[in-house]
């Protein structure tokens, strides 16, 4: 038997974890409004599908943006042959300008520091290869996007060490929690090379304030470690407080000596809703990292056909402004409808102002405050309520009972049906058939928890990991035809 | 710099190699027929620029594929959302069939055994991650594509041990060279996990013979190791013998569903055959389900843009087009190669007899001041800085013998190629210190009077002047 490598045969890809059941359930029984109206509704997929009409309209009105149309085809040769890993200058320029706009033009990005990657997935892995050697570690606040386990660790040999955040202070990252994590890593003889922040946060749906960013900055400066800021959801901030990028901190004069510790990860997958186009970006303030990451980008360059399209689209200032504005409006509305719908049955969520999801508090629905109980509840939601949501344990949340539920990957009607199912489930459990008063909802929660004893048929074997960022669980994601 | 990883600080990315330095020099002073006729002509880039007109005409006739439409309906949204690392089924089917067509339909390839990657660069690295651990080794016949030093070794920490091939037998792989390489790895305490060959070969431009393929299959079977066949140039075989894929050899030997069936993996890409390196379309083909599974998961780090998959699935599904394209492309390459060979012969330079690829393996041993790699570098520098041609020295390809160079012929116009040939001739004549007299100059004038762009180079200068003016 000719053996494969350790990497090929270990579980570092994360897909053998127990959290893929939701995906499987969805995959074998996907909801469809007419063909399968009782199927599982996908709410574990952090995709932004709210503004395609705007994109489509733009593409139809701008045939030159495609190198293949009669209007754009005289560019075909040059684009098809261009494999320079610097990327098309117009692509880098337009991405830099776009990133500036998303940050309210409060910062400036140098297009020469823009490095392409195979999605944010590729960006994270590349940065890990550049910043740390096998066995070294990055600190990462919990709860975090499960894909980090694969992206940062699998082929790089790097470790992730948690910075445990708790609901008692709304999962905020504090200097104390950072110091605590660092000390624990030291005690375990683990060399820490950096800190990863996801801002806005997946799965929390919240943004970091300036104090937290400055705290993080002073922490990494003191420890002389890197700071990687994953800002993949930066244009999904739909409410106050606005988004503050680490770039704002980087431009402060007090930070100038340590600017080269800062690296930003970005992608168009969430903000524009283009995960299929694989546009990942590394923006580093460190010349050596830009240089090295650029060489490594050979392993995951963006197709020039796509670079060309993106460059045209993002250079259209009028379109970009309209898009960002409209996208924020639609996300706000969606979020409002959804959280209100949850509140009607007494389900609270963490106050969020960004992202494509809510961080729901279902603690009171657990029969006991354990992760086993969380799993049971989760299977109940998948199998009875027929919604694929993501349990907090898959994000390494330190407390059971939290679930991430996505709301931007479906149309209004599907959202309405999802909420209906949740309401129906709660009402059935309490034996009531009319809308409840607030007091009644509270009582019903207790009754619901009692009814969760019938869980035996839902014990599942460990399988694959669900993905808040969706694309890492792509084996179970099928293209719609 | 202490804060960065060892990978940043080492030079396993290979970009300090002469292969890339030549590119850099070219970029500082690129030739342009009109704007910079004294610039450096790029002959170090294995690109296929001969058949764009065929692609463009297909595009003009197929507006749906290019406009994100299927039967007139927009599928932009579906494409933009499609991030499934198994790829668009239509694309993988079309790609598998295209690969079968290139192999004369003598093999059956299943689309579920294909893994899409961001170019062959990513495919090769991914296979290394799947088949070997850090510190293990792969054996590669020399000379080989300089990019392998980066793609196979850099982030994977795998070692390359050369299988030494030499000009005495036309650089063919022999049984003894294989064994010697294996022993060398053992001497260096390296565990060999496989052999990687390029077929057709870069930089040699030759297809592997049946004998070599059989040798390889027997060798990996005996040693219980993998064989990777990088077949990126498989659609560019323009002379006999025909291309034979290692997969065909296995099928002929009836090895389907045997152990060795799972030990052979093919790497492919559309960068060379279709001339679209910018689109980053690579693939791994393996019969081993575990390899396919692991590689598919790894492809998340470098997927093919769905926009590009869709365009190419339409193009490759058009069988009439692909047949015409492959055939016409081969004709043009053959013509170009013959031009290069003639031009070099005119300058008294011979090439390895080749039947494939985008380059020739050129023998300049007679021009070296000594049989050393230092002398090879001397000539190379002269050729870049004085003659104004970027060609790739054999040492950058790890060739065991000094004096060989890879010269590309498909990434420029015919006029540019002619200009390059003229420059070489001038250079060689000067190096050989031939007599300069009027009659020789008149000969050039008569042959080249129509090529105005060459005036500065050939007519306006004596054989001695050019050294200084460049």
């Amino acid at each position: 038997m000719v053996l494969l490598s350790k990497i090929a045969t270990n579980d570092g890809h994360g897909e053998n974890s127990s959290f893929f059941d939701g995906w499987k359930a969805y995959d074998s029984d996907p909801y469809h409004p007419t063909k399968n109206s009782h199927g599982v509704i996908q709410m574990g997929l952090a995709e932004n599908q709210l503004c395609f009409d705007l994109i489509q309209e733009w593409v139809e009105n701008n045939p030159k943006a495609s190198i293949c149309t009669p209007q754009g085809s005289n560019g075909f040769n040059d684009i098809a042959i261009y494999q320079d890993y610097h990327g098309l200058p117009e692509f880098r320029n337009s991405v830099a300008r776009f990133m500036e706009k998303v940050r309210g033009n409060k910062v400036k990005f140098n297009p020469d520091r823009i490095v392409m990657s195979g999605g944010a997935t590729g960006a994270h892995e590349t940065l890990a290869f550049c910043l740390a050697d096998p066995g070294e570690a990055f600190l990462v606040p919990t709860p975090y996007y499960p894909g980090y386990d694969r992206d940062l660790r699998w082929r790089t040999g790097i470790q992730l060490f948690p910075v445990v955040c708790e609901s008692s202070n709304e999962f905020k990252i504090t200097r104390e929690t950072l110091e605590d994590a660092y000390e624990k890593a030291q005690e375990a003889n683990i060399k820490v090379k950096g800190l990863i922040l996801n801002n806005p946060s997946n799965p929390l749906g919240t943004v970091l304030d300036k104090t937290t960013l400055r705290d993080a900055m002073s922490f990494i400066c003191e420890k002389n470690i890197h700071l990687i800021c994953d800002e993949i959801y930066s244009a999904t901030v739909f409410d106050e407080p606005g988004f503050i990028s680490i770039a704002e901190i980087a431009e402060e004069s007090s930070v100038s000596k340590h600017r080269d510790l800062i690296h930003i990860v970005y992608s168009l997958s969430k903000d524009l809703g283009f995960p299929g186009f694989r546009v990942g970006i590394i923006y580093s303030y460190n010349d050596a990292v830009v240089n090295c990451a650029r060489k490594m980008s050979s392993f995951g360059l963006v197709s020039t056909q796509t670079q060309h399209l993106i460059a045209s689209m993002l250079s259209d200032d009028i379109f970009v402004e309209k898009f960002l504005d409209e996208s924020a409006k639609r996300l706000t509305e969606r979020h409002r409808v959804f959280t209100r719908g949850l509140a009607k049955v007494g389900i609270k969520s963490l106050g969020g102002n960004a992202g494509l999801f809510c961080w729901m508090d279902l603690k009171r629905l657990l029969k006991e405050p354990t992760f086993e109980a969380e799993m049971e509840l989760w299977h109940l939601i998948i199998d009875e309520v027929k919604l694929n949501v993501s349990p907090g344990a898959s994000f390494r949340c330190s407390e059971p009972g939290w679930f991430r539920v996505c709301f931007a990957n479906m149309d209004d009607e599907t959202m309405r049906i999802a909420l209906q199912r949740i309401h129906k489930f709660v009402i059935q459990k309490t034996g009531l058939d009319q809308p409840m008063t607030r007091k009644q909802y509270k009582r019903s929660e207790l009754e619901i928890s009692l009814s969760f004893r019938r869980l035996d048929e839902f014990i599942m074997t460990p399988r694959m990991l669900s993905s808040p960022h969706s694309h890492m669980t792509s084996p179970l994601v099928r293209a719609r035809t | 710099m202490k804060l960065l990883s060892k990978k940043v600080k080492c030079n396993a990315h290979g970009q300090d190699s002469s292969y890339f330095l030549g590119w850099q020099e070219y970029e500082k002073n690129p030739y342009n027929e009109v704007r910079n006729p004294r610039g450096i002509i790029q002959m170090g880039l294995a690109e296929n620029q001969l058949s764009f007109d065929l692609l463009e005409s297909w595009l003009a006739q197929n507006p749906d594929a290019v406009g994100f439409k299927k039967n007139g309906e927009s599928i932009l949204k579906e494409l933009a959302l499609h991030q499934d690392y198994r790829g668009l089924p239509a694309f993988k089917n079309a790609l598998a069939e295209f690969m079968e067509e290139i192999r004369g339909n003598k093999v059956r390839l299943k689309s579920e055994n294909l893994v899409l990657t961001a170019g062959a660069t990513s495919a090769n690295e991914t296979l290394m991650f799947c088949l070997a651990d850090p510190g293990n080794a792969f054996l590669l016949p020399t000379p080989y594509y300089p990019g392998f030093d980066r793609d196979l070794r850099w982030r994977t920490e795998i070692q390359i041990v050369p299988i030494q091939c030499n000009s005495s037998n036309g650089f063919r792989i022999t049984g003894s060279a294989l064994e010697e390489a294996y022993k060398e790895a053992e001497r260096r305490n390296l565990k060999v996990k496989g052999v990687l060959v390029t077929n057709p070969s870069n930089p040699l431009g030759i297809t592997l013979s049946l004998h070599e393929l059989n040798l390889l299959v027997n060798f990996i079977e005996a040693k219980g190791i993998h064989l990777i066949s990088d077949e990126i140039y498989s659609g560019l075989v323009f002379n006999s013998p025909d291309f034979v894929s290692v997969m065909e050899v296995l099928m002929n030997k009836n090895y389907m569903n045997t152990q060795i069936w799972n030990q052979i993996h093919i790497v492919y890409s559309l960068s060379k055959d279709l001339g679209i390196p910018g689109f980053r379309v690579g693939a791994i083909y393996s019969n081993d389900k575990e390899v396919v599974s692991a590689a598919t998961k790894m492809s998340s780090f470098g997927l093919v843009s769905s926009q590009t998959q869709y365009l190419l699935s339409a193009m490759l599904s058009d069988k009439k087009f692909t047949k015409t394209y492959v055939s016409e492309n081969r004709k043009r390459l053959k013509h170009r190669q013959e031009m290069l060979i003639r031009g070099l012969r005119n300058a008294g330079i011979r090439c390895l007899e080749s039947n494939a690829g985008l380059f020739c393996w050129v023998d300049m041993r007679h021009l070296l001041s000594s049989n050393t790699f230092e002398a090879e570098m001397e000539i190379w520098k002269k050729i870049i800085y004085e003659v104004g041609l970027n060609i790739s020295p054999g040492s950058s390809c790890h060739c065991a013998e000094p004096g060989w160079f890879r010269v590309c012929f498909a990434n420029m116009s015919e006029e540019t190629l002619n200009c390059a040939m003229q420059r070489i001739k001038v250079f060689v004549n000067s190096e050989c210190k031939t007599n300069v007299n009027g009659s020789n100059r008149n000969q050039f004038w008569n042959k080249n009077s129509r090529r105005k762009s060459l005036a500065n180079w050939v007519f306006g200068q004596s054989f001695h002047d050019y050294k200084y003016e460049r």
Side-chain angles (χ1 to χ4, degrees), chain A residues 448-476:
Chain A
I448 286 166
S449 71
L450 291 174
S451 72
F452 285 171
R453 296 229 171 102
R454 3 172 306 243
L455 297 172
D456 38 289
E457 67 263 39
F458 302 123
I459 306 298
M460 309 293 280
T461 51
R463 289 305 298 265
M464 299 202 280
L465 185 66
S466 81
S467 165
H469 271 195
S470 76
H471 59 267
M472 71 153 268
T473 54
S474 46
L476 298 187

Side-chain angles (χ1 to χ4, degrees), chain A residues 35 69 158 161 173 200 245 337 450-451 478:
Chain A
K35 294 185 210 158
T69 55
I158 269 127
F161 202 87
I173 300 163
S245 165
V337 166
L450 291 174
S451 72
R478 299 249 164 77

Side-chain angles (χ1 to χ4, degrees), chain B residues 323-381:
Chain B
K323 213 167 164 177
T324 312
Y325 179 91
V326 171
S327 150
E328 182 60 27
N329 193 32
R330 282 173 182 158
K331 280 198 192 106
R332 297 179 186 187
L333 282 167
K334 180 172 170 160
H335 173 74
R336 254 328 156 81
Q337 185 229 34
E338 285 165 359
M339 267 182 76
L340 176 67
I341 291 176
R342 262 198 317 270
L344 290 173
R345 200 187 310 132
N346 222 1
I349 298 177
R350 293 181 314 172
C351 307
L352 182 73
E353 197 178 317
S354 60
N355 66 326
L358 305 167
F359 33 71
C360 283
W361 189 235
V362 177
D363 184 357
M364 297 200 192
R365 287 176 293 177
H366 59 293
L367 298 176
L368 300 190
S369 57
S370 61
N371 183 23
T372 60
F373 286 110
E374 288 73 26
E376 180 182 281
M377 279 293 110
E378 262 173 47
I379 284 281
W380 177 63
K381 282 181 188 152

Side-chain angles (χ1 to χ4, degrees), chain A residues 257-313:
Chain A
K257 281 202 196 105
H258 302 279
R259 195 168 291 152
D260 60 357
L261 292 173
I262 303 175
H263 322 277
I264 297 176
V265 166
Y266 186 55
S267 160
L268 298 182
S269 299
K270 309 298 176 183
D271 289 349
L272 290 184
F274 288 162
F277 293 170
R278 313 315 302 145
V279 184
I281 302 288
I282 293 171
Y283 187 93
S284 175
Y285 292 89
N286 183 314
D287 292 344
V289 172
V290 167
N291 210 299
C292 185
R294 187 162 280 140
K295 292 181 176 71
M296 289 187 181
S297 67
S298 298
F299 298 110
L301 293 172
V302 177
S303 167
T304 45
Q305 179 190 14
T306 300
Q307 287 186 48
H308 181 82
L309 173 70
I310 298 297
S312 306
M313 190 182 287

